[in-house]
Amino acid sequence: MAMLSSPVQVIVVDFVIVGGGSAGCILAARLAEYGFEILLISSGSNDTSNPLMREQSEFDRLKTTLFYKHYLPTDSSLNLNNRNLDVTVWNTLGGSSVNSGGMERMMANDWNFFVDATGDRSFNYENMSRYYKIVENYTSTNSLGVSNVHGNRGPIKITEAHDIEFEDVWKNVAHELNEIFSDDLADTVDHGLSFEASSFTNGFRSWSGDAYLTPAIAKYPNLKVMTSATAIKFNLNETTKHIDSVLFVSSDGFFYGVARKEYILSAGAFYSPHLLMLSGIGDPDILQKNQITVKHELRQVGKNLMDNGAIIMQYQAENLPINQSIPVGLVNTQSPTTSLNPDIFFILKMNKQAKQLFVVIFNATPKSAIGSISLHNANPLTPPKISLNYFEDKEDLQTFINGINYVRKFMSTNALDKFDPIIEILPGLKETDLGTYITDTLTPSYHFIGTCCMGQNAQNSVVDNNFKVHGIKNLRIVDGSVFPAGFASKAGPCLTIYALAEKVVDLLRKEHL
């Protein structure tokens, strides 16, 4: 490559981790704790002490700040009136774990997707619960306290807040709707109306960039973290199917990261498939079109992008006694809800100052993938090409219409009636064409997963049950991209990505220690 005119520095370690996001920070910290030499390469900076990252009151300001983000242009979305949806990805240590705080586990039934896709029983809910517990330092303001489902010694502080008055109201709403009220969606009843647990406790965020990585940097000299560093490509030996190095660039010049044991790609649902393609690993049609030599054919790289999508309803609500708690529902809009059939997930967020209530509705089980990741060209500094096409299956649009009607139903229950006036502002009761409202206003829910999906063979997936890239000896992928094809997490995947990272630490420890 012509740009490598200056000498390239070489860093040799046990594990090279590309991507300092939700999973990468956990892998780096835990593997360093076990004595391995680690190099973590992150395109973002270390902002873990920045109040914008830490303080809940600053989150709205952080969202509108131009820094700390990758801005990713998308193709126009045919089913969304040809809108171009803005996609931004956090470019800071911890990545997507810098979010609005939701900390849901996956439902027991959801883990069956992993078991079915891989044939590996270790992904069942009982076993994965162990890894959730390792992550969690869980507290609840519920008078019943915390059930033993949760962990209380993990690095990530999680709080489930309950408002005493509204808890009774929310139980009464559930009763009127013939829904179950669940004290904790991670417990035996994982559907119905409940309250969301949050990574914010007393106004401060707990996330992997800080809770895992910050103490590890201070404690372990065998952990080297290079921030503001961009990975350019893996150098794959076509004959041996062995990664020899990863080329990356920082303000200090060009580097080869060389792993004695393994390379771990944790760059997220957009950048993990992007880096594979830049390295000649992927769908030959895409690679050849962009003049990239095909080193290793894997047709599912970049395919199967999944996201729930979100729409917002807005109410003027002066008297609702929602303070610290985050009321949520995981329900079926058309029939009595069971653990198998929820079709929407919704969250109530109160703005006390404006006396407004926002109801965010997510499609819990989209029927079709919403897009794919590809290349604009072979330049590693060009962002990935992103096609987003929600509503490929028209049933997904109907689910959101049903969701709006369901919210209207519970907002007019007798239990909420006593807190009148509650007035719908958006979409507004005069809005009769709900389909148009949805296609005009739907935004990504930023629960992007699936683009390096997990499965049993190289024809239908990218990684195996041990997170190893099919056909490559020393490369694993650990991030949201590995969720099985066709699967969408019913709520946010962040806590599950943490649990998957802990599972991989276990795999690596058993294999290499």
Side-chain angles (χ1 to χ4, degrees), residues 200-402:
F200 288 109
T201 302
N202 299 325
F204 289 93
R205 178 194 310 284
S206 179
W207 79 108
S208 65
D210 188 51
Y212 276 87
L213 195 63
T214 300
I217 291 171
K219 193 170 180 183
Y220 303 115
N222 48 317
L223 170 59
K224 183 176 179 63
V225 179
M226 292 184 72
T227 51
S228 305
T230 301
I232 292 169
K233 69 167 183 172
F234 289 109
N235 291 307
L236 172 65
N237 183 317
E238 286 174 79
T239 312
T240 63
K241 295 295 183 183
H242 192 273
I243 304 278
D244 292 332
S245 63
V246 60
L247 175 65
F248 65 99
V249 62
S250 78
S251 54
D252 296 325
F254 286 94
F255 295 84
Y256 284 124
V258 177
R260 299 183 195 99
K261 298 186 186 298
E262 294 190 33
Y263 299 83
I264 303 173
L265 178 54
S266 296
F270 297 121
Y271 280 102
S272 282
H274 187 239
L275 187 60
L276 290 180
M277 288 185 242
L278 292 171
S279 309
I281 302 165
D283 183 338
D285 300 339
I286 294 171
L287 302 181
Q288 286 159 356
K289 191 173 146 195
N290 290 280
Q291 288 81 51
I292 294 174
T293 305
V294 180
K295 298 277 192 78
H296 186 70
E297 178 179 321
L298 270 180
R299 289 193 176 269
Q300 298 304 318
V301 169
K303 312 292 199 301
N304 307 302
L305 179 64
M306 194 60 101
D307 177 59
N308 304 98
I311 59 162
I312 293 177
M313 297 179 72
Q314 185 180 355
Y315 287 85
Q316 195 68 36
E318 298 184 16
N319 306 313
L320 278 180
I322 302 174
N323 295 305
Q324 298 303 313
S325 69
I326 306 164
V328 295
L330 181 60
V331 299
N332 185 282
T333 56
Q334 300 300 292
S335 63
T337 308
T338 70
S339 63
L340 300 177
N341 72 357
D343 59 0
I344 65 163
F345 178 75
F346 63 84
I347 304 179
L348 274 57
K349 295 216 164 177
M350 192 74 204
N351 182 326
K352 280 291 192 194
Q353 282 69 41
K355 300 195 168 174
Q356 289 186 342
L357 175 73
F358 296 90
V359 183
V360 187
I361 304 172
F362 303 98
N363 183 350
T365 49
K367 295 289 179 286
S368 56
I370 59 101
S372 61
I373 309 300
S374 182
L375 297 171
H376 287 290
N377 55 49
N379 182 341
L381 301 181
T382 303
K385 177 178 168 64
I386 302 170
S387 302
L388 294 181
N389 214 7
Y390 296 85
F391 307 139
E392 199 72 349
D393 188 313
K394 293 294 175 268
E395 226 182 294
D396 289 338
L397 180 62
Q398 188 60 47
T399 296
F400 276 112
I401 293 172
N402 296 343

Side-chain angles (χ1 to χ4, degrees), residues 421-442:
I422 299 174
I423 301 158
E424 183 180 317
I425 302 169
L426 287 174
L429 293 170
K430 289 196 180 74
E431 175 59 80
T432 51
D433 189 351
L434 293 180
T436 300
Y437 175 76
I438 292 160
T439 53
D440 283 349
T441 64
L442 179 124

Side-chain angles (χ1 to χ4, degrees), residues 50-358:
N50 189 324
L52 283 173
M53 301 291 163
R54 304 181 74 82
E55 295 175 21
Q56 187 169 9
S57 58
E58 295 283 11
F59 187 57
D60 285 339
R61 194 155 73 95
L62 175 64
K63 284 192 289 189
T64 57
T65 302
L66 294 176
F67 305 111
Y68 320 115
K69 301 182 186 99
H70 293 294
Y71 289 87
L72 302 178
T74 67
D75 297 344
S76 62
S77 297
L78 191 63
N79 299 328
L80 300 181
N81 299 336
N82 289 316
R83 286 193 292 139
N84 291 87
L85 296 178
D86 293 328
V87 173
T88 55
V89 179
W90 292 113
N91 189 27
T92 180
L93 287 179
S96 297
S97 60
V98 178
N99 57 24
S100 57
M103 283 283 122
E104 285 93 10
R105 291 188 182 192
M106 289 204 315
M107 299 167 70
N109 184 52
D110 291 342
W111 283 108
N112 293 335
F113 276 91
F114 278 81
V115 174
D116 293 344
T118 60
D120 183 347
R121 295 286 308 156
S122 74
F123 284 103
N124 67 40
Y125 182 72
E126 289 69 37
N127 191 50
M128 290 309 301
S129 294
R130 291 194 303 122
Y131 295 110
Y132 281 127
K133 280 185 169 181
I134 291 169
V135 171
E136 293 171 338
N137 177 4
Y138 200 98
T139 55
S140 173
T141 61
N142 180 357
S143 56
L144 298 174
V146 179
S147 75
N148 60 7
V149 166
H150 293 286
N152 56 14
R153 291 197 295 274
I156 302 290
K157 194 156 178 45
I158 299 172
T159 300
E160 188 185 22
H162 288 247
D163 297 319
I164 293 166
E165 185 182 357
F166 196 78
E167 181 161 351
D168 286 337
V169 173
W170 204 223
K171 284 176 179 173
N172 290 336
V173 170
H175 180 70
E176 275 188 65
L177 296 174
N178 290 319
E179 296 287 4
I180 286 174
F181 177 85
S182 177
D183 282 304
D184 179 351
L185 287 178
D187 216 331
T188 46
V189 180
D190 55 11
H191 58 278
L193 302 196
S194 188
F195 292 97
E196 181 172 75
S198 173
S199 58
F200 288 109
T201 302
N202 299 325
F204 289 93
R205 178 194 310 284
S206 179
W207 79 108
S208 65
D210 188 51
Y212 276 87
L213 195 63
T214 300
I217 291 171
K219 193 170 180 183
Y220 303 115
N222 48 317
L223 170 59
K224 183 176 179 63
V225 179
M226 292 184 72
T227 51
S228 305
T230 301
I232 292 169
K233 69 167 183 172
F234 289 109
N235 291 307
L236 172 65
N237 183 317
E238 286 174 79
T239 312
T240 63
K241 295 295 183 183
H242 192 273
I243 304 278
D244 292 332
S245 63
V246 60
L247 175 65
F248 65 99
V249 62
S250 78
S251 54
D252 296 325
F254 286 94
F255 295 84
Y256 284 124
V258 177
R260 299 183 195 99
K261 298 186 186 298
E262 294 190 33
Y263 299 83
I264 303 173
L265 178 54
S266 296
F270 297 121
Y271 280 102
S272 282
H274 187 239
L275 187 60
L276 290 180
M277 288 185 242
L278 292 171
S279 309
I281 302 165
D283 183 338
D285 300 339
I286 294 171
L287 302 181
Q288 286 159 356
K289 191 173 146 195
N290 290 280
Q291 288 81 51
I292 294 174
T293 305
V294 180
K295 298 277 192 78
H296 186 70
E297 178 179 321
L298 270 180
R299 289 193 176 269
Q300 298 304 318
V301 169
K303 312 292 199 301
N304 307 302
L305 179 64
M306 194 60 101
D307 177 59
N308 304 98
I311 59 162
I312 293 177
M313 297 179 72
Q314 185 180 355
Y315 287 85
Q316 195 68 36
E318 298 184 16
N319 306 313
L320 278 180
I322 302 174
N323 295 305
Q324 298 303 313
S325 69
I326 306 164
V328 295
L330 181 60
V331 299
N332 185 282
T333 56
Q334 300 300 292
S335 63
T337 308
T338 70
S339 63
L340 300 177
N341 72 357
D343 59 0
I344 65 163
F345 178 75
F346 63 84
I347 304 179
L348 274 57
K349 295 216 164 177
M350 192 74 204
N351 182 326
K352 280 291 192 194
Q353 282 69 41
K355 300 195 168 174
Q356 289 186 342
L357 175 73
F358 296 90

